[in-house]
Amino acid sequence: MPQTKKFIIDFDSTFTQVEALDILGEISLINDPEKAQKLQSIKDITDQGMEGSITFRESLELRLEILKASKTQITDLIAALKQKVSKSFERNKEWLRENAKDIYIISNGFKDFILPIVSEYGILNENVFANEFVYDESGNIVDFNRENPLSKNNGKAETIKNLNLEGDIYVIGDGYTDYEIKASGLANKFYAFTENVHRPKVVSQADHIAPSFDEILYINKLNTKFSYPKSRIKVLLLENVHPIGIQILQDEGYEVEVISSALSEEELCEKIKTVSILGIRSKTNVTKKVLENANRLLAIGAFCIGTNQIDLETCQEKGIVVFNAPFSNTRSVVEMAIAEIIFLMRRFQDKSVGMHQGNWDKSATGSFEIRGKKLGIVGYGNIGAQLSVLAENMGMNVFYYDVIEKLALGNATKVDSLDELLATCDMTSLHVDGRKDNNRLIDGEKIRKMKPGAILVNLSRGHVVDIPALRDAILSGHLAGCAVDVFPEEPKNNKESFESELKGLPNTILTPHIGGSTLEAQENIARFVPGKIMEYINTGNTYNSVNFPNIQLPFLKNAHRLIHIHHNEPGVLAKINQVLANFNINIVGQYLKTNEKIGYVITDIDKVYEAEAIETLKTIPGTIRFRTLY
């Protein structure tokens, strides 16, 4: 029978993200005119004690002297600390409860605030060892129990020695006092916990650097909620993904690397080799060559609407799921389209440029209201449909064309052909997707069919419009103006120069692909895409994915979940179930969906089964990818 593993866990900056006395200082010193200086002093003293440059007792005495705290403020401290439990301990709450008898909190902090926090995670009161405040009759903190070993230097080691624990002892902490336990010969391993703070002197003494509690459970082959260590999920985010998206993925426990620009194919081929999750926007091309180097890649997040920059077919073949943000920036793009239509119809662009050059051109020539005009919308998806509603509310007559049958909103009129729409409307706004069929959808021939004096707005894809033909139409006066936000070739970053045949044309608005670039849209996207990726990794849910069969799954309860991605060919489901039957494994729930390329099977099974069953499932012919969720 294997020896029991005992876990000794520190509290401050380990079980919680913060040093409790630092937070108590925020509370007790709230009205102190020297609050900032005192809080910095507390922090500096804490760091000196944790790194071992001053004795722990000295650091404790100095901090309590500055704090001048009271018993009533401990209640506020507890409320604050409950919101600051480390993410990886929060994720593994179930494991902590199931293994409570082998978990000890040994801290130089104080029981007064530690017990109410850790008890919610199943930690037994008798397994919590910490200091104790001494209060006066008015409830002011005047001292600490100086007889408690934990108030003394090397107190953690003495406390553990007195416990006479049996089995392997693993210490998890961020401070020098945690290392002292191992140095005293009382622990098998010391894990430097760096999820919240990285102390070089402590890390240098560690047997293992643990960026999260998931990592510790994983390397010790303990039953975790997930079948992978989150700290080993490497995320690469390109093209200035909003900080909220970065933070969400970091809070999940992933290792996140951020690069502000797009990468070339060769650069991405090298970077992608160790990446599990890739996040991009519109400029990064994820080609077949890139994907051939992506042996660890589980998911791609397109932090934008379009996915034509991603080889979706190869992603399917390799079992890589792709998510985008089809709705998150809809309003931003629609508002930009409305604004540009008004600007072009009133020739504001030319008037503004003239004013900056010192020209006063007060004239109504070529300037029109949008009310009563005919707006043509090409592509009646999320953006086109919302533009339709807003434009109609502003008094425009809306016509739309889409290759797919779409229900008209409001009083919009569906036309039977693109040619009919172009010949009918005073202005045309493009909102089609990036499929190859839409390459030069608006070419010279189509532009000539547009109503003379019409305007063209392209906020869709750069390759949709023939740029030389558009230039000719503006210069000849056939079109009164245009607004273009997307281009066939775009700079990879803000340092590269922009070149286009449209530069300098009259009544022409050029913008650097910013249709969805509002703070609201970017925040929405930054929340939506990581949420979908994490849901897929944690539960297998593929709802809203671009290239996988869409399955919306219930939460996993009292079972293990098997995720099987395979080529869509006959008999795979039967083979999966035959393997399960051969190993006498009971199916709790099963979900299957396919598309023309792949099949996606989710099977929830009883927790008890032989490891050989899993290996057999992985070898079923046609299997692309297999993983297990606990």
Side-chain angles (χ1 to χ4, degrees):
M1 185 174 179
Q3 275 194 310
T4 303
K5 292 177 180 175
K6 306 288 186 182
F7 289 90
I8 309 297
I9 302 173
D10 182 34
F11 184 77
D12 291 295
S13 294
T14 298
F15 198 92
T16 58
Q17 302 167 34
V18 293
E19 291 287 329
L21 294 187
D22 291 355
I23 305 301
L24 183 57
E26 294 276 0
I27 297 167
S28 68
L29 299 170
I30 190 167
N31 296 316
D32 192 311
E34 298 180 354
K35 176 184 173 182
Q37 301 96 301
K38 289 183 177 181
L39 287 177
Q40 187 59 50
S41 294
I42 291 170
K43 184 180 184 306
D44 292 343
I45 294 165
T46 298
D47 289 340
Q48 291 167 19
M50 289 300 99
E51 292 174 355
S53 56
I54 62 174
T55 66
F56 171 73
R57 174 162 282 201
E58 185 180 359
S59 77
L60 191 56
E61 290 171 338
L62 290 171
R63 284 180 288 168
L64 289 185
E65 178 62 29
I66 297 171
L67 281 168
K68 303 292 186 186
S70 67
K71 194 168 191 175
T72 56
Q73 291 167 337
I74 299 299
T75 302
D76 294 333
L77 174 61
I78 292 167
L81 292 177
K82 284 184 177 180
Q83 305 304 313
K84 293 291 185 180
V85 174
S86 295
K87 301 291 184 181
S88 62
F89 283 98
E90 183 71 41
R91 280 195 297 272
N92 291 284
K93 197 171 191 176
E94 183 181 343
W95 188 91
L96 292 168
R97 286 174 173 164
E98 290 175 353
N99 296 274
K101 64 181 177 61
D102 296 319
I103 298 169
Y104 295 78
I105 302 293
I106 297 184
S107 171
N108 294 123
F110 290 80
K111 280 188 178 181
D112 308 59
F113 54 75
I114 293 177
L115 282 173
I117 307 298
V118 301
S119 61
E120 293 188 2
Y121 291 76
I123 309 298
L124 305 175
N125 284 1
E126 58 266 31
N127 284 7
V128 176
F129 298 85
N131 280 300
E132 300 140 313
F133 287 126
V134 174
Y135 303 93
D136 65 15
E137 292 180 357
S138 301
N140 297 311
I141 299 172
V142 293
D143 203 355
F144 50 88
N145 179 1
R146 292 175 178 265
E147 298 305 313
N148 189 324
L150 288 162
S151 72
K152 304 173 185 176
N153 302 329
N154 212 24
K156 288 188 176 182
E158 184 180 340
T159 300
I160 291 176
K161 187 175 182 180
N162 292 337
L163 285 174
N164 292 317
L165 298 178
E166 294 183 359
D168 293 336
I169 297 175
Y170 296 159
V171 176
I172 304 165
D174 65 284
Y176 196 80
T177 56
D178 303 302
Y179 161 68
E180 285 179 336
I181 301 169
K182 171 70 186 300
S184 300
L186 295 168
N188 298 77
K189 285 187 179 179
F190 166 55
Y191 294 97
F193 191 80
T194 60
E195 182 173 329
N196 305 310
V197 64
H198 187 283
R199 305 186 197 276
K201 188 174 179 181
V202 177
V203 167
S204 66
Q205 304 291 343
D207 295 299
H208 190 92
I209 300 169
S212 70
F213 191 52
D214 307 285
E215 171 86 359
I216 295 167
L217 296 179
Y218 177 75
I219 63 175
N220 284 288
K221 295 183 172 59
L222 296 169
N223 182 28
T224 63
K225 186 177 179 182
F226 308 109
S227 59
Y228 58 90
K230 294 201 172 191
S231 56
R232 297 189 183 188
I233 292 282
K234 185 173 181 179
V235 181
L236 176 62
L237 299 178
L238 306 178
E239 304 182 64
N240 284 322
V241 167
H242 193 281
I244 286 177
I246 299 169
Q247 190 62 53
I248 288 171
L249 292 164
Q250 287 176 333
D251 287 348
E252 186 69 4
Y254 301 150
E255 178 190 340
V256 181
E257 180 180 2
V258 179
I259 297 176
S260 61
S261 65
L263 295 180
S264 68
E265 184 178 58
E266 290 303 319
E267 289 171 326
L268 193 52
C269 280
E270 186 60 33
K271 274 282 186 184
I272 203 74
K273 291 177 181 177
T274 59
V275 170
S276 304
I277 298 168
L278 174 66
I280 64 168
R281 293 174 73 184
S282 57
K283 292 185 178 68
T284 300
N285 289 310
V286 185
T287 63
K288 185 180 183 69
K289 182 178 178 180
V290 169
L291 293 168
E292 285 171 351
N293 288 274
N295 294 324
R296 292 185 59 183
L297 195 62
L298 295 171
I300 298 174
F303 286 72
C304 51
I305 295 177
T307 55
N308 57 296
Q309 71 276 39
I310 303 169
D311 186 337
L312 297 177
E313 188 171 338
T314 302
C315 284
Q316 276 191 338
E317 291 170 359
K318 290 180 68 68
I320 301 165
V321 67
V322 178
F323 293 98
N324 67 340
F327 318 110
S328 301
N329 66 0
T330 299
R331 178 71 183 201
S332 298
V333 177
V334 168
E335 287 186 4
M336 185 168 175
I338 292 284
E340 291 189 329
I341 288 168
I342 293 172
F343 259 60
L344 293 170
M345 292 296 285
R346 296 290 299 273
R347 305 191 76 90
F348 286 156
Q349 174 76 0
D350 288 353
K351 300 290 186 184
S352 178
V353 170
M355 291 287 283
H356 281 284
Q357 294 172 345
N359 301 323
W360 183 268
D361 180 17
K362 181 173 167 50
S363 168
T365 303
S367 181
F368 303 94
E369 291 184 352
I370 64 169
R371 181 175 52 178
K373 301 301 186 293
K374 296 175 181 176
L375 169 64
I377 299 174
V378 182
Y380 207 64
N382 299 317
I383 294 172
Q386 190 169 140
L387 174 59
S388 171
V389 172
L390 292 187
E392 186 178 327
N393 286 337
M394 297 181 74
M396 302 180 77
N397 299 314
V398 179
F399 299 80
Y400 72 91
Y401 171 73
D402 200 302
V403 294
I404 299 172
E405 189 66 30
K406 296 287 181 68
L407 180 67
L409 299 180
N411 295 313
T413 301
K414 181 182 183 297
V415 297
D416 295 327
S417 70
L418 178 57
D419 288 352
E420 181 186 350
L421 180 140
L422 295 174
T424 301
C425 296
D426 301 300
M427 64 278 288
T428 297
S429 191
L430 306 177
H431 301 285
V432 298
D433 61 30
R435 70 185 69 181
K436 292 179 182 178
D437 293 349
N438 287 330
N439 187 43
R440 295 199 176 189
L441 178 69
I442 306 299
D443 57 11
E445 180 184 350
K446 295 298 183 188
I447 290 174
R448 287 189 290 274
K449 289 180 179 179
M450 292 180 70
K451 190 175 179 179
I455 63 173
L456 178 66
V457 174
N458 183 19
L459 302 178
S460 60
R461 301 291 185 275
H463 65 263
V464 170
V465 177
D466 184 330
I467 297 298
L470 177 58
R471 172 186 167 84
D472 292 345
I474 296 292
L475 290 176
S476 70
H478 177 63
L479 294 185
C482 67
V484 181
D485 186 52
V486 287
F487 303 87
E489 298 292 334
E490 297 180 358
K492 286 187 172 62
N493 55 53
N494 292 341
K495 294 179 181 178
E496 289 189 16
S497 62
F498 166 69
E499 298 298 331
S500 173
E501 296 177 62
L502 301 177
K503 288 167 66 175
L505 296 185
N507 205 27
T508 296
I509 301 172
L510 304 180
T511 49
H513 204 145
I514 56 170
S517 296
T518 62
L519 289 178
E520 293 90 344
Q522 293 307 304
E523 286 185 15
N524 290 338
I525 291 169
R527 295 183 190 280
F528 183 85
V529 175
K532 289 298 174 185
I533 290 173
M534 293 185 309
E535 199 174 347
Y536 169 68
I537 290 177
N538 293 344
T539 72
N541 202 330
T542 58
Y543 190 69
N544 283 131
S545 79
V546 177
N547 65 331
F548 266 41
N550 275 211
I551 296 181
Q552 191 158 14
L553 296 160
F555 289 108
L556 183 63
K557 292 182 179 179
N558 299 317
H560 286 182
R561 177 164 287 170
L562 311 180
I563 296 176
H564 194 279
I565 306 166
H566 57 271
H567 297 293
N568 187 5
E569 52 191 45
V572 176
L573 180 61
K575 291 171 185 174
I576 290 172
N577 290 340
Q578 187 59 57
V579 170
L580 297 176
N582 290 345
F583 284 91
N584 199 31
I585 297 173
N586 183 50
I587 296 175
V588 177
Q590 194 167 51
Y591 317 88
L592 164 68
K593 205 162 186 181
T594 62
N595 60 25
E596 67 278 6
K597 291 281 186 180
I598 63 171
Y600 189 56
V601 179
I602 308 293
T603 307
D604 292 348
I605 63 173
D606 286 341
K607 289 184 176 181
V608 180
Y609 54 84
E610 296 177 41
E612 187 183 348
I614 300 301
E615 296 305 313
T616 305
L617 288 168
K618 292 178 182 178
T619 62
I620 290 174
T623 300
I624 296 173
R625 174 166 275 163
F626 179 91
R627 63 191 181 100
T628 308
L629 299 180
Y630 296 136

